[in-house]
Amino acid sequence: MGKSPKRNLVGKAALVQKSTELGIPMERLLAGYVMEQLAVMLSESERSNRLLLKNPEVLGLSGLAKNDCHRLHYVYVKRPGEMFCKSDFAAFLKQTIKWETQTNIEWSWRSRTEGARLFVELSTVLGEMRMPVELVIDPMEADLSDDRFDVYPVRLIMENNKICKIHVYEGQAAFFDDLGEILTKLELIPDMAVYERVYEALGRLAFEGRQFQKRLNGFCNEHGILMDEVRYAQMEHYQDYPYMKKKWNAYVKKRRSKGPSWEEVFHRFWSFLMPPWEAELQGFVYLGSWIPDLGRYLD
């Protein structure tokens, strides 16, 4: 990659003006600006084709309008046999994030690991405003030519609507990662953010029922998951299961966001999963098409 262009300086006066113009609180605007600048710097780095953003919907004005989560979730593509080293990534991050010289934002950070996953907690300061932003990095060994990779255009909030293209993890691949976690961990799932991501994905991604059923069947066979009546009945019960509702409400409360109700989240999820699963149980091929704007299949 060539040398990254100097980013526009943003100070309090510019944020106040943009905050008034958009009707968005300055703290939220700062968080959105910091996240998009972080995504831009990573997209312009020497590892841009190995860092694939899984949740690009949190960026830009649309992200500011509906998200309170200041987190960028990345997949880090490893070469075959490569070790993902925390210290190596820390050195790369320190070299890449040059807010001290390219903007007037000050920042500090610390990192921790949970299993293979790396968490980087950044604290960004602009004047008297301080905003935490988190990076989550999941290492994954894959071929760089894999069709799970895509490019996503982001319209930058504070740079006169300039368009920047960033590398992302292809939407349906990310969706199947989350779906797999739901199907394997059931009520023991540790992070209800998975359900939120699935809910949001089903509001924007279209699926062909036949292809989804085939892929779901392959995933379940690969992971030893029985697509039988017992598991079907168990999951169907989750919409009215107080334990799952309590976990969802605790997650929403922790995020300090209203968000959809558990009933809304699970209804969309189950409306998507149920028809292909029923077809599989009956030995049929499901031919419906999932229409995200409608939140249901059209046969």
Side-chain angles (χ1 to χ4, degrees), residues 4-204:
S4 298
K6 184 175 181 179
R7 309 235 64 82
N8 291 344
L9 291 177
V10 172
K12 183 177 179 179
L15 283 169
V16 169
Q17 181 179 349
K18 183 64 73 170
S19 172
T20 302
E21 176 187 329
L22 299 176
I24 297 172
M26 278 199 298
E27 291 79 6
R28 174 174 278 198
L29 188 61
L30 174 62
Y33 174 71
V34 167
M35 286 198 299
E36 74 176 21
Q37 290 300 304
L38 184 56
V40 168
M41 290 179 182
L42 293 176
S43 75
E44 294 174 344
S45 74
E46 60 185 12
R47 303 188 189 186
S48 63
N49 65 333
R50 303 177 65 189
L51 277 165
L52 310 174
L53 185 60
K54 292 184 72 172
N55 61 335
E57 67 277 0
V58 303
L59 299 174
L61 283 178
S62 60
L64 282 178
K66 63 183 180 181
N67 287 291
D68 294 312
C69 181
H70 306 143
R71 168 185 287 186
L72 295 176
H73 192 173
Y74 280 88
V75 167
Y76 184 80
V77 182
K78 301 189 301 177
R79 298 183 179 93
E82 178 186 0
M83 296 292 292
F84 180 68
C85 178
K86 174 183 170 180
S87 60
D88 172 67
F89 191 83
F92 157 74
L93 202 61
K94 185 175 181 179
Q95 178 184 8
T96 302
I97 304 179
K98 297 181 178 179
W99 284 331
E100 305 97 327
T101 58
Q102 296 185 355
T103 74
N104 53 356
I105 295 174
E106 298 177 4
W107 67 287
S108 60
W109 58 282
R110 61 181 181 178
S111 60
R112 59 185 171 87
T113 56
E114 292 183 7
R117 176 174 287 182
L118 174 66
F119 293 85
V120 181
E121 299 168 353
L122 298 106
S123 178
T124 59
V125 180
L126 181 61
E128 71 277 14
M129 291 186 293
R130 180 182 299 271
M131 185 58 59
V133 173
E134 186 175 51
L135 280 177
V136 179
I137 314 293
D138 286 320
M140 176 188 72
E141 189 171 304
D143 183 348
L144 289 176
S145 64
D146 196 292
D147 61 4
R148 286 176 291 188
F149 312 150
D150 209 344
V151 174
Y152 185 91
V154 175
R155 190 178 297 275
L156 303 182
I157 300 169
M158 298 295 294
E159 297 191 35
N160 298 319
N161 290 322
K162 172 185 174 183
I163 300 294
C164 181
K165 294 182 179 180
I166 59 176
H167 291 87
V168 297
Y169 194 42
E170 191 271 324
Q172 290 200 13
F175 174 82
F176 267 89
D177 287 348
D178 290 332
L179 178 61
E181 189 168 353
I182 288 173
L183 292 177
T184 54
K185 296 181 180 177
L186 299 175
E187 67 264 32
L188 298 179
I189 196 162
D191 188 354
M192 295 297 281
V194 173
Y195 275 100
E196 182 177 36
R197 292 195 298 269
V198 163
Y199 175 82
E200 292 176 348
L202 291 176
R204 67 176 188 273

Side-chain angles (χ1 to χ4, degrees), residues 150-263:
D150 209 344
V151 174
Y152 185 91
V154 175
R155 190 178 297 275
L156 303 182
I157 300 169
M158 298 295 294
E159 297 191 35
N160 298 319
N161 290 322
K162 172 185 174 183
I163 300 294
C164 181
K165 294 182 179 180
I166 59 176
H167 291 87
V168 297
Y169 194 42
E170 191 271 324
Q172 290 200 13
F175 174 82
F176 267 89
D177 287 348
D178 290 332
L179 178 61
E181 189 168 353
I182 288 173
L183 292 177
T184 54
K185 296 181 180 177
L186 299 175
E187 67 264 32
L188 298 179
I189 196 162
D191 188 354
M192 295 297 281
V194 173
Y195 275 100
E196 182 177 36
R197 292 195 298 269
V198 163
Y199 175 82
E200 292 176 348
L202 291 176
R204 67 176 188 273
L205 297 178
F207 291 84
E208 290 298 326
R210 179 202 298 265
Q211 293 301 319
F212 171 73
Q213 182 183 358
K214 180 179 179 181
R215 193 166 176 179
L216 177 64
N217 185 280
F219 175 87
C220 290
N221 287 335
E222 181 182 350
H223 292 83
I225 298 173
L226 292 177
M227 292 181 66
D228 57 10
E229 292 86 351
V230 174
R231 187 176 292 261
Y232 180 96
Q234 181 181 5
M235 295 200 68
E236 186 177 33
H237 173 60
Y238 282 176
Q239 178 154 326
D240 302 315
Y241 188 17
Y243 176 71
M244 294 296 283
K245 184 174 182 178
K246 183 178 179 180
K247 287 186 72 171
W248 174 258
N249 289 340
Y251 166 74
V252 172
K253 184 178 180 180
K254 185 177 180 181
R255 280 194 49 184
R256 299 180 182 179
S257 171
K258 292 182 180 179
S261 68
W262 170 246
E263 289 78 8

